[in-house]
Amino acid sequence: MEQKKFYITTPIYYPSDKLHIGHSYCTVATDTMARYKRLRGYDVMFLTGTDEHGQKIERIANAQGVTPKAYTDKVVAGIKELWKTLHISYDKFIRTTDEYHIKTVQGIFKRLYDQGDIYKSTYEGWYCTPCESFFTQHQLVDGKCPDCGREVEKVKEESYFFRLSKYQDRIIKYMEENPEFLQPNTRQNEMINNFLKPGLEDLAVSRTSFTWGIPVEFDPGHIVYVWIDALSNYISALGYGSKDDRLFQKYWPADVHVVGKEIVRFHSIIWPAMLMALDLPLPKQIFGHGWLVINGGKMSKSVGNVVDPNVLVNKYGVDAIRYFLLREIAFGQDGNFSNEALIQRINSDLANDLGNLVSRTVGMIEKYFEGKLPQEQSCTEFDADLVQTAQTAISKIEAAMDNMMFSDALIELWNLIRRTNKYIDETQPWILIKEKANHSMLANALYHVAESIRIVSILLQPFMPNTPKLIWKQLHITAGELTTWESAKQWGKLPKALSVEKANAIFPRIDMKKELQELEDAIKASQATAIANQNKKEEDKKQSEIPQEITIDDFCKVQLKVGEVIASEKVAKSKKLLKNQVKIGDEVRVIFSGISQWYTPEEMVGKKVVVAYNLKPRKMMGEMSYGMILAADDGADKLSLLTVDNDIPSGADIS
Ligand code: MSP
């Protein structure tokens, strides 16, 4: 029989800064589902990655004096490190700067243009740089960005548009006929009533005002803007549009795109429209989860309330953090993060219920039977109910996982853990040990508890990657036949002559009062570092804008010379640049200059210009530029080259 496939994705993350616990939430949930499906025998493809283009990244990189790619390389390395820390088992990590992705996006853009789904027009509107979003006048709130409340910039530029409006009726029909498509259900009504029925506008899908993006191949001044670039990752990662599209043939359509609620609109409207235009099947499901909030507000760097997942993992271990995220918040709804709630969960659910169950069971087997249960065992009156509870828990967990209800699945699992603890209280091993005649019943009771723990450890695997292994070590189980999901449905697989080995508590109890203070200090320290870094960046930026006094010696370091432009041409892929051949004395240099809006190549030839001569050469549009031609700029729309009278020869010093 052919193995069933399961393709699941997270959003691709903006590498604008360190990711916080809110970002980790989405990825941990997706990872849990991927692990679960693998355990259920599926051939899983789990995709995550980074969304690296855009003006925001370009500006941050410029402010740091590095190229956007150098900047994203650094941040992406940190993101991969975080996923390692959180045991994220992705199968593929896509970067939108990957060459194959760029090619696929260019191919998609061209195809949509050729078939008339993309056309050229003029975009007029307001742009919020931090949110990377364009807004119409009526979408602004008090003249500011409706999402973050910050200042917006007016923009008017030539742009390509995607005919989104054309697909409106087909999308409404699709949603109505496929109620499973957008989950939770409430999100579907929101999309239909708030966006689709009032009417979709065509979408601006290219920009000319910045350069950090995928160039539109047939119109190089334009770069592909945001959503066509970002959303295509889900198919470009599988090789769609390339010579080798076997993964695409195998895994598409995706089973589920897991996304945060604020990007549901793009995934449930723009993405289906793009796929319809490309004549491709739609993903089976978009699941819009809620946010992790702090005191009711979204975690955000600008508010200074972000919680660094590394701080939490270092203190409590990855499994405790994953458990908290998945148990505390009903997937689909918002949920509050607080240090108290985290410690409370660790103490009650992990240390008390689970940790205690394992350590007291292993402890009793060691104490009463020197670590080895006897073969002969006789039943107790409580056995049947425990066995039944285990089987019911498994089917309820499966049902919950089918609906991505991670917290419900964990509630069912903890019912079994608590029932097992209750079984110990009912059978009272400490009383049974007293009578030799009861030892066979005692062995049976401890066997039942150990077998229940084996089942618990199997069911824990999707949620917690480490804990099951710690449990198996104590029960002398090796991963394999005794740890498959199906084996959890077979009571009694653990060998009767069980031997065990006690180890440290898997979840030590935490002193809430002492810990709260320490944890708050650690989180505050990490927030303070983040804020200090941010302030420093802003301060550096301000400093660089204040004109500084320099000494005559400083001034003399700049060598200015007269140069004569002997040839000039436009640079094909740039709207601004001219490539000039400049004669300076006996040498001829290539110098690029961003002046093509003001000077044609013909006007340049013969001009005697002022050249910054000893400037370090730098790469522009793939070629080296040796120096700079000086010009006066009024900061708005006027620019004039600095020139000298003709009778001064080229190569003359300017001082
Ligand atoms: N780059 C886009 C997605 C493009 S997908 C084709 C993007 N990136 S993001 O980095 O801003 O966000 C990535 C995901 O993190 C989103 O799903 C977002 O909802 C999620 N979260 C960011 N902060 C969050 C919380 N505080 N809580 C839960 N999820 C949050 O959007």
Side-chain angles (χ1 to χ4, degrees), residues 10-16 19-26 50-51 227 229-234 258-263 267 289-293 298-300:
T10 70
I12 44 173
Y13 292 83
Y14 291 128
S16 55
L19 298 189
H20 54 65
I21 191 80
H23 297 114
S24 310
Y25 171 62
C26 180
T50 41
D51 188 359
W227 291 105
D229 175 2
L231 290 163
S232 303
N233 93 87
Y234 299 129
V258 181
V259 302
K261 61 181 183 180
E262 83 284 16
I263 53 173
H267 283 79
H289 65 75
W291 285 339
L292 200 59
V293 295
K298 196 180 177 203
M299 223 173 264
S300 141

Side-chain angles (χ1 to χ4, degrees), residues 19-20 44 46 84 91 151 211 216 350 413 418 526 613:
L19 298 189
H20 54 65
V44 172
F46 168 15
K84 209 158 139 199
D91 297 293
E151 295 292 336
T211 53
V216 173
L350 301 182
L413 182 44
R418 291 191 184 119
S526 106
Y613 183 74

